[in-house]
Amino acid sequence: MRILVINCGSSSIKYKLYGAEVCDSLAEGIIEGIGAPGVRHRHRVGDWETTVKASVIDYRSGVSRTVEALSEWGPAPPLSDLREIVGVGHRVVHGGERFSASVIIDPEVVETIESLDSLAPLHNPANRAGIEAAGELLPEAVGVAAFDTAFFSTLPERAYRYAVPAEWWRHHGVRRYGFHGISHRYLVERASKVLGEPRPNLVTFHLGAGASACAVREGSAVDTSMGMTPLEGLVMGTRSGDIDPAVVFHLMEAGLSASEIRRGLERKGGLLGLSGISSDFRRLAEADQAGEPSASLAVEVFCHRIRRYLGAFLVQTGPCDAVVFSGGIGENSPEVRRRVLDGLGSLGLALDASLNEAEGERQISTDESPIAAWVIPTDEEALIARDTAQLALADQR
């Protein structure tokens, strides 16, 4: 039995192949630059890895190439027969109010995902393209959709409603949905194990090119930083995060078009907009250390926004068991974690400097700290694979 997980982004396909135990992946890869010249395909099986240029023009050809790589590339391809794949799990960014858990894909599910394209225009169409391609190439496998928004179906109305005319919510879906839910759900489940708390109270941070925070009470999400779209909340690689809505009106009155403003907020804002250097936090951290003022400002604003949400969400968790850092920045930047937690001893968070500089999954707070701080590497694909295996096997019975 094999489970394939496919994550079609706005210009890439990430994939992992799992065996029956759904623990460590058997193979993984990424195809980057779909729809543009210079597509690259990186594929890894165990210690063997290759990166090649690829003639991929769309998601169907990308998924086809994925299947080919899994069955033909390397000294020991992990797939000998396509019929070994019993389930294909797909990450879907926006599930609206309809989906509160992963589901087996059928035409009605695809139609609902399509109806939400306007709320996630960069992602849902790509997600659907991957679903359709996998359905054609692997018709015997059960398709499963895992939604980024599903984990936040437990948000109370006071957390998901905007203070706007009620008809905007009823007729246009204007409310907060939350995103990165697959990652936050994984962090809650993993934190529950390492803390020995079956229903923990947490503040979880997924910090990367996309960044979000989640307040968790008794194991369920009660608030999150992202909103109707992934644009709201923390500062991100190119997304602005929170701004005064009147900024949009001001810019429109100044002559900017809606598309120009949208591109500025989604593609030219965030760390890139603040620094004028890069959206890559690693480059900005180096420039900050070198004394580049705009990079230092970008890093400072990034950390300031995280601290703001940390304070707000600690109020909502009740007695907090732990603060969890994850994502590319959350896992790999001791400096960000230090800046976020610095001086919070009065709130019950005391950082252990040596543990903060270490690597891997670990507690980074002192043993005396009333609230623990942890670094937990996220694994969205493993969670999607587990959901897919459960639903696919149940469907076969």
Side-chain angles (χ1 to χ4, degrees):
M1 184 186 90
R2 298 286 186 265
I3 299 293
L4 176 61
V5 174
I6 295 176
N7 180 355
C8 289
S10 57
S11 62
S12 67
I13 299 175
K14 296 179 183 178
Y15 60 88
K16 280 191 178 183
L17 184 72
Y18 292 84
E21 298 301 319
V22 192
C23 296
D24 296 330
S25 65
L26 303 175
E28 62 183 282
I30 181 171
I31 301 172
E32 299 177 284
I34 292 176
V39 177
R40 293 193 320 149
H41 185 178
R42 179 171 59 83
H43 181 75
R44 183 163 66 87
V45 181
D47 294 331
W48 181 86
E49 182 174 330
T50 185
T51 300
V52 298
K53 293 183 179 179
S55 57
V56 175
I57 59 173
D58 56 25
Y59 290 95
R60 191 193 184 288
S61 59
V63 174
S64 177
R65 187 179 178 88
T66 294
V67 173
E68 174 189 317
L70 292 169
S71 57
E72 299 180 16
W73 289 18
L79 195 63
S80 58
D81 189 327
L82 296 186
R83 289 173 295 184
E84 292 180 81
I85 299 177
V86 300
V88 183
H90 299 267
R91 175 180 177 241
V92 179
V93 167
H94 215 307
E97 294 182 302
R98 167 73 185 280
F99 301 107
S100 58
S102 300
V103 297
I104 292 176
I105 296 168
D106 60 23
E108 184 180 353
V109 169
V110 175
E111 184 178 337
T112 302
I113 294 171
E114 184 175 11
S115 72
L116 297 166
D117 281 2
S118 62
L119 296 180
L122 298 178
H123 296 94
N124 268 32
N127 302 154
R128 283 191 297 105
I131 289 171
E132 292 165 2
E136 293 176 12
L137 294 164
L138 302 166
E140 297 184 20
V142 176
V144 171
F147 298 91
D148 258 352
T149 49
F151 183 63
F152 302 108
S153 63
T154 58
L155 294 184
E157 191 170 9
R158 63 178 180 270
Y160 72 72
R161 284 289 297 274
Y162 288 118
V164 297
E167 56 266 26
W168 292 9
W169 168 53
R170 296 193 189 100
H171 302 303
H172 303 290
V174 176
R175 54 156 286 181
R176 304 181 72 247
Y177 295 97
F179 299 90
H180 292 151
I182 298 170
S183 178
H184 287 292
R185 178 184 155 202
Y186 177 87
L187 298 177
V188 172
E189 293 182 5
R190 183 62 191 156
S192 175
K193 292 179 180 178
V194 300
L195 295 171
E197 293 284 349
R199 296 173 63 82
N201 295 339
L202 306 168
V203 180
T204 54
F205 289 103
H206 177 104
L207 305 176
S212 62
C214 180
V216 176
R217 186 161 189 150
E218 296 185 353
S220 297
V222 294
D223 208 345
T224 185
S225 58
M226 285 180 165
M228 188 178 83
T229 75
L231 183 58
E232 185 180 355
L234 301 176
V235 172
M236 299 171 235
T238 63
R239 298 177 203 149
S240 67
D242 294 337
I243 64 164
D244 182 344
V247 170
V248 176
F249 312 142
H250 171 73
L251 294 174
M252 291 182 73
E253 290 167 357
L256 273 68
S257 67
S259 62
E260 287 175 315
I261 297 171
R262 183 169 198 161
R263 182 169 178 79
L265 295 176
E266 291 183 341
R267 297 288 196 174
K268 295 184 176 181
L271 295 171
L272 175 62
L274 283 165
S275 69
I277 297 172
S278 176
S279 63
D280 188 326
F281 191 85
R282 292 166 296 186
R283 284 191 59 191
L284 295 181
E286 292 172 358
D288 176 30
Q289 290 296 313
E292 173 57 49
S294 64
S296 299
L297 175 64
V299 172
E300 187 175 359
V301 173
F302 180 77
C303 295
H304 169 76
R305 191 74 59 85
I306 297 169
R307 283 170 65 90
R308 178 192 292 178
Y309 272 94
L310 174 58
F313 283 5
L314 282 173
V315 174
Q316 299 200 50
T317 64
C320 187
D321 297 307
V323 175
V324 178
F325 294 90
S326 194
I329 300 172
E331 295 168 25
N332 298 307
S333 177
E335 178 65 13
V336 166
R337 297 190 298 265
R338 185 193 66 76
R339 291 195 191 200
V340 170
L341 298 179
D342 187 42
L344 298 186
S346 62
L347 296 181
L349 281 160
L351 184 68
D352 183 307
S354 60
L355 291 174
N356 186 45
E357 294 290 336
E359 296 182 355
E361 180 181 275
R362 65 203 183 280
Q363 180 176 322
I364 59 172
S365 54
T366 65
D367 290 336
E368 295 76 24
S369 180
I371 301 174
W374 275 76
V375 174
I376 298 180
T378 192
D379 196 340
E380 296 166 285
E381 290 83 6
L383 194 150
I384 295 171
R386 190 187 69 198
D387 283 1
T388 301
Q390 290 174 348
L391 289 168
L393 293 175
D395 187 62
Q396 291 177 348
R397 295 194 182 104

